[in-house]
Amino acid sequence: MNKEFITAIEELEKEKHVSKDILIEAIETALVSAYKKNYGTAQNVRVDIDRETGDIAVLMRMEIVEEVYDDMLEISLEEAQAVDPRYEVGDAIEYQVTPRDFGRIAAQTAKQVVVQRIREAERGMIYDDFITKQGEILTGMVQRKSGETMFINLGRAEGILSANEQVPGERFGINERLKVYIMDVKRTTKGPQVFLSRSHPGLVKRLFELEVPEIQDGVVEIKGIAREAGSRTKLAVYANDENVDPVGACVGPRGTRVQTIVEELNGEKIDIISWSEDPRELITNVLSPAKVEEVIIENEEECIATAIVPDFQLSLAIGKEGQNVRLAAKVSGWKIDIKSHTAYYGNEEGEEVFEVEEI
């Protein structure tokens, strides 16, 4: 190795953002292993690479002792003082033992180490890049499929969209573009793995954040979201400015904003609801499109309430297979007991109870 080697390392430092010192230290460590493998020496060897010239020296360390028991590890005080009279017992002396043909081994080893370290550094940079994007949306392209799992090309990395994170009924072909939500990023021996979702509620939330300027500005806030992917989402929003209509801001002029998101979600229905700190008003709102006659707070600490609806609105309040009240419970955080007017005031048994679930 020589000055050109050091220059090449410095260029790599600039281009690949891999520290010169870290690279050289890694090469030195690898050269120690290569030396021991090829020349069968003891453990008291180190390799030193001159940071300026690139010259390599293999140095054997010997402990200075009164009486030598292992001539591979120890040297007598008399021998040491023949080199330099200032040596004392307990000091150490290093001899250069660089073999003539070590340059060839060093070049091969250095190349392997540099390639490996650059690969590790690039993987590290990709991980660092994507971990900051966790919880965000990216546009990718379907690169390949394995069974029900799709692998999405995200540019610098490949994302995994498992069957569980896909939306029922959605179909994407190879090379088709789609928006995906980044759920998680993990380090592996093969590089970072990026786990994606199309069914996560966060996808809808981020779409609204990207589409609605008032949310980006912080004027409108998303207070709650509940989703049954491919079917319906309920979104509760609140305006920090009393002059702003949060629902209207999310719907957009003539419904353009929400329609853009509905199209991205292939027709999924979206209910946009006005959030309220008053639980009675909140529960009334989240049960929309059903009309609620009265909300009775049964237990405020445990967030349990009963909603009374007109008899003819009962099935609408509950929704198909309980979907409407199930989403209402999730988005509001309240356990909701739905009763018809007749059932409640006629002292009959209640119809359905739905509880908030983790999402």
Side-chain angles (χ1 to χ4, degrees):
M1 294 189 197
N2 48 31
K3 180 64 177 175
E4 285 75 15
F5 165 74
I6 296 297
T7 303
I9 292 290
E10 290 170 348
E11 288 296 322
L12 284 172
E13 183 177 41
K14 292 176 186 176
E15 291 179 16
K16 302 294 185 179
H17 306 288
V18 185
S19 166
K20 170 186 172 182
D21 288 334
I22 290 176
L23 270 177
I24 291 179
E25 286 170 12
I27 294 169
E28 287 173 341
T29 302
L31 288 178
V32 169
S33 298
Y35 180 86
K36 291 176 181 178
K37 179 181 177 182
N38 285 273
Y39 302 99
T41 188
Q43 299 298 312
N44 56 328
V45 170
R46 73 179 182 90
V47 172
D48 180 73
I49 299 176
D50 190 294
R51 266 58 171 173
E52 298 299 323
T53 65
D55 292 338
I56 293 176
V58 182
L59 303 170
M60 182 174 287
R61 181 186 177 90
M62 309 284 278
E63 296 292 333
I64 299 173
V65 295
E66 288 281 4
E67 188 174 351
V68 175
Y69 291 99
D70 186 341
D71 58 9
M72 291 296 292
L73 300 174
E74 299 168 337
I75 185 173
S76 70
L77 179 61
E78 183 181 351
E79 286 181 278
Q81 287 182 338
V83 177
D84 189 329
R86 292 173 294 178
Y87 279 125
E88 297 178 1
V89 172
D91 291 344
I93 185 170
E94 287 187 324
Y95 289 100
Q96 183 166 333
V97 291
T98 312
R100 281 187 180 180
D101 62 343
F102 195 61
R104 176 182 54 82
I105 295 170
Q108 292 173 345
T109 304
K111 181 180 178 181
Q112 293 169 356
V113 170
V114 168
V115 169
Q116 181 183 351
R117 284 298 170 126
I118 289 173
R119 187 180 296 122
E120 289 172 359
E122 288 177 338
R123 287 173 176 174
M125 285 188 285
I126 292 170
Y127 174 84
D128 292 342
D129 182 28
F130 277 90
I131 198 68
T132 61
K133 292 182 171 69
Q134 194 169 348
E136 293 187 9
I137 289 176
L138 289 180
T139 299
M141 182 184 293
V142 180
Q143 187 163 287
R144 59 192 177 92
K145 295 182 180 181
S146 177
E148 294 297 315
T149 300
M150 291 195 293
F151 295 88
I152 312 299
N153 184 347
L154 300 172
R156 297 181 67 200
E158 185 179 71
I160 301 168
L161 183 60
S162 67
N164 292 338
E165 296 302 327
Q166 296 174 33
V167 176
E170 281 191 344
R171 295 289 181 269
F172 295 97
I174 302 297
N175 295 330
E176 193 168 347
R177 298 181 72 81
L178 71 164
K179 284 187 170 68
V180 287
Y181 178 80
I182 299 180
M183 287 197 310
D184 197 10
V185 184
K186 293 181 179 177
R187 294 184 189 271
T188 71
T189 54
K190 295 182 179 180
Q193 280 194 331
V194 184
F195 295 93
L196 309 173
S197 179
R198 284 278 300 174
S199 62
H200 198 283
L203 176 69
V204 182
K205 183 180 179 182
R206 291 294 293 144
L207 286 171
F208 272 96
E209 289 171 349
L210 295 171
E211 193 67 33
V212 181
E214 290 85 349
I215 295 178
Q216 296 173 20
D217 297 340
V219 177
V220 173
E221 186 179 346
I222 297 173
K223 287 285 194 176
I225 184 168
R227 185 184 186 202
E228 294 191 358
S231 179
R232 183 180 292 272
T233 289
K234 280 186 183 284
L235 187 80
V237 292
Y238 175 80
N240 295 308
D241 183 341
E242 60 182 16
N243 296 316
V244 175
D245 172 15
V247 174
C250 292
V251 171
R254 295 185 297 277
T256 52
R257 292 174 180 172
V258 71
Q259 189 56 40
T260 299
I261 295 168
V262 168
E263 288 173 4
E264 173 60 39
L265 300 174
N266 292 312
E268 185 172 314
K269 295 180 177 65
I270 300 176
D271 298 337
I272 305 173
I273 303 143
S274 182
W275 176 274
S276 174
E277 295 298 333
D278 179 352
R280 292 175 178 82
E281 185 179 349
L282 175 62
I283 291 168
T284 298
N285 292 347
V286 296
L287 284 171
S288 173
K291 305 299 180 186
V292 178
E293 288 183 352
E294 186 180 358
V295 175
I296 299 165
I297 305 301
E298 307 289 357
N299 188 319
E300 191 159 1
E301 283 189 7
E302 296 183 15
C303 296
I304 299 173
T306 298
I308 301 165
V309 299
D311 291 13
F312 70 93
Q313 292 271 295
L314 181 63
S315 61
L316 184 61
I318 293 171
K320 186 179 180 181
E321 297 177 351
Q323 184 187 68
N324 191 59
V325 68
R326 188 165 57 246
L327 290 174
K330 285 182 182 180
V331 76
S332 65
W334 281 76
K335 300 174 184 177
I336 303 174
D337 180 358
I338 299 285
K339 291 187 177 180
S340 68
H341 180 98
T342 301
Y344 186 78
Y345 288 106
N347 201 29
E348 296 177 11
E349 187 178 347
E351 298 289 342
E352 297 277 358
V353 177
F354 288 86
E355 299 183 359
V356 61
E357 300 174 19
E358 294 292 330
I359 58 173

